[in-house]
């Protein structure tokens, strides 16, 4: 049953040292405010799952919170490298991290399997690909009905899923609009979930019945954080802050500059700043 909390409470109650956590949101609805709260609380030794690790994981890895990343494609979207993640992999700064790389298809199927309570995902993929040579979690099985060779990967079953969404109802149902990505599957696959939203409304009675709605019994904690996806966008609320992504490439290129930026803009700020940051990029 969903509980309405502030962000500090929701993160502290649901995420702990050593947990496996998925911060999901594809292109938009990336839960930056929640990630910043995790950084402020210093929750460490995390296994981080994400289809497209971008700035939030670059920041968490750069602050030494991640020990392992399970992912498909890592980069600053439209810009280039994740420089803090690369520094951790190549130079062990601020700590070494383990990486487990998959394809997008494998990640999506692994979430789907986890949401269904299955131990693994089975799909067509990786034939002729070299990734399985460096990732022992990618296996091949033979279909017992057709004899076809199929790929199999372990299901994603995070301790916690963290997502951002447009709306929550007073009952605790959550509405996700626009590009849905794997937010639904990530929440259903996880033992606990934290959902930040732009606004809380009375109900969804006047909305279209075919929308993506997570029912209240699938969600652990809900937090209203206007602007909580910035610098990514929230469909219907504000646009993507492209300048922030470009600026991150400069900031993250230097360890000292990165550390100073994080101290001023994350450690020294609360979630209320996100509403101010999106004023210049309203939809």
């Amino acid at each position: 049953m969903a509980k309405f909390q502030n962000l500090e409470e929701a993160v502290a109650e649901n995420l702990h040292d050593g947990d496996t956590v998925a911060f999901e949101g594809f292109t938009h609805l990336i839960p930056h405010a929640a990630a910043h709260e995790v950084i402020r609380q210093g929750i460490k030794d995390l296994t981080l799952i994400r289809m497209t690790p971008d700035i939030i994981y670059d920041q968490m890895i750069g602050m030494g919170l991640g020990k392992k990343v399970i992912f498909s494609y890592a980069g600053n979207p439209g810009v280039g490298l994740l420089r803090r993640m690369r520094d951790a992999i190549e130079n062990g700064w601020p700590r070494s991290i383990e990486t487990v790389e998959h394809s997008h298809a494998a990640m999506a199927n692994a979430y789907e399997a986890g949401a269904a309570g299955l131990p693994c995902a089975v799909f067509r993929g990786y034939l002729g690909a070299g990734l399985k040579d460096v990732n022992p979690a990618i296996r091949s099985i033979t279909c017992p009905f057709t004899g076809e060779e199929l790929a199999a990967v372990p299901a994603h079953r995070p301790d916690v899923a963290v997502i951002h969404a447009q709306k929550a109802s007073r009952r605790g149902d959550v509405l996700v609009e626009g590009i849905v990505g794997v937010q639904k599957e990530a929440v259903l696959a996880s033992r606990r979930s934290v959902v930040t939203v732009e606004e809380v409304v009375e109900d969804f009675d006047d909305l279209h019945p075919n929308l993506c709605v997570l029912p209240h019994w699938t969600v652990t904690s809900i937090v209203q954080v206007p602007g909580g996806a910035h610098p990514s966008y929230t469909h219907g609320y504000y646009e993507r802050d492209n300048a922030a992504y470009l600026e991150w490439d400069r900031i993250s290129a230097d360890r000292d500059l990165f550390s100073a930026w994080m101290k001023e803009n994350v450690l020294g700020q609360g979630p209320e700043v996100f509403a101010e940051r999106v004023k210049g990029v309203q939809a």
Side-chain angles (χ1 to χ4, degrees):
M1 185 68 68
K3 181 193 299 186
F4 288 87
Q5 299 180 285
N6 65 44
L7 191 54
E8 183 179 3
E9 293 170 340
V11 169
E13 286 187 14
N14 289 290
L15 187 62
H16 312 112
D17 288 353
D19 275 353
T20 296
V21 58
F23 286 78
E24 282 297 348
F26 192 76
T27 303
H28 76 144
L29 300 176
I30 299 171
H32 282 267
H36 285 186
E37 182 59 37
V38 173
I39 293 169
R40 282 190 291 272
Q41 293 191 23
I43 302 172
K44 60 186 184 300
D45 296 327
L46 298 172
T47 295
L48 303 169
I49 304 177
R50 181 160 164 75
M51 283 187 66
T52 52
D54 51 12
I55 288 178
I56 56 171
Y57 277 12
D58 211 30
Q59 292 174 350
M60 295 175 75
I61 291 167
M63 296 299 285
L65 304 185
K67 68 176 182 181
K68 181 178 181 179
V69 186
I70 303 172
F71 70 103
S72 55
Y73 171 78
N76 182 348
V79 180
L81 303 172
L82 289 183
R83 298 184 184 278
R84 294 298 92 226
M85 183 174 176
R86 181 170 182 168
D87 202 6
I89 293 169
E90 294 184 348
N91 304 308
W93 193 93
R95 62 176 292 178
S96 297
I97 59 170
E98 180 184 352
T99 58
V100 179
E101 186 174 359
H102 285 286
S103 67
H104 274 358
M107 292 288 287
N109 277 280
Y111 275 123
E112 186 76 37
L118 297 172
C120 68
V122 178
F123 60 103
R124 289 189 176 97
Y126 289 125
L127 289 177
L131 196 55
K132 59 184 179 182
D133 296 333
V134 296
N135 182 352
I138 301 169
R139 308 286 178 88
S140 296
I141 65 170
T142 301
C143 174
F145 303 105
T146 66
E148 181 182 2
E149 182 182 345
L150 300 169
V153 296
H156 289 332
R157 297 301 304 270
D159 296 302
V160 187
V162 182
I163 68 169
H164 188 74
Q166 279 89 351
K167 295 180 175 73
S169 70
R170 296 289 179 193
R171 188 173 68 169
D173 302 324
V174 172
L175 172 68
V176 182
E177 294 184 287
I179 300 173
V180 175
V182 293
Q183 288 97 311
K184 176 186 70 175
E185 289 80 6
V187 168
L188 296 179
S190 299
R191 295 174 176 84
R192 302 178 298 279
S193 59
V194 174
V195 181
T196 55
V197 296
E198 293 294 326
E199 61 177 325
V200 177
V201 299
E202 196 61 37
D203 54 52
F204 298 154
D205 291 350
D206 59 343
L207 299 179
H208 194 280
N210 288 330
L211 295 170
C212 178
V213 176
L214 287 163
H216 59 279
W217 46 267
T218 67
V219 177
T220 310
S221 295
I222 294 173
V223 184
Q224 184 175 1
V225 186
H230 180 271
S232 75
Y233 72 98
T234 292
H235 174 72
Y237 288 81
Y238 45 89
E239 302 291 341
R240 188 178 191 266
D241 189 347
N242 292 316
Y245 284 91
L246 290 167
E247 181 67 3
W248 182 251
D249 189 58
R250 181 185 68 84
I251 294 164
S252 62
D254 180 82
R255 293 176 182 176
D256 291 337
L257 183 58
F258 161 78
S259 298
W261 190 94
M262 293 296 292
K263 182 178 180 180
E264 179 180 355
N265 294 281
V266 178
L267 299 178
Q269 302 279 359
E272 65 280 352
V273 302
F274 281 83
E276 291 295 320
R277 289 174 180 170
V278 300
K279 284 184 177 180
V281 287
Q282 296 294 336

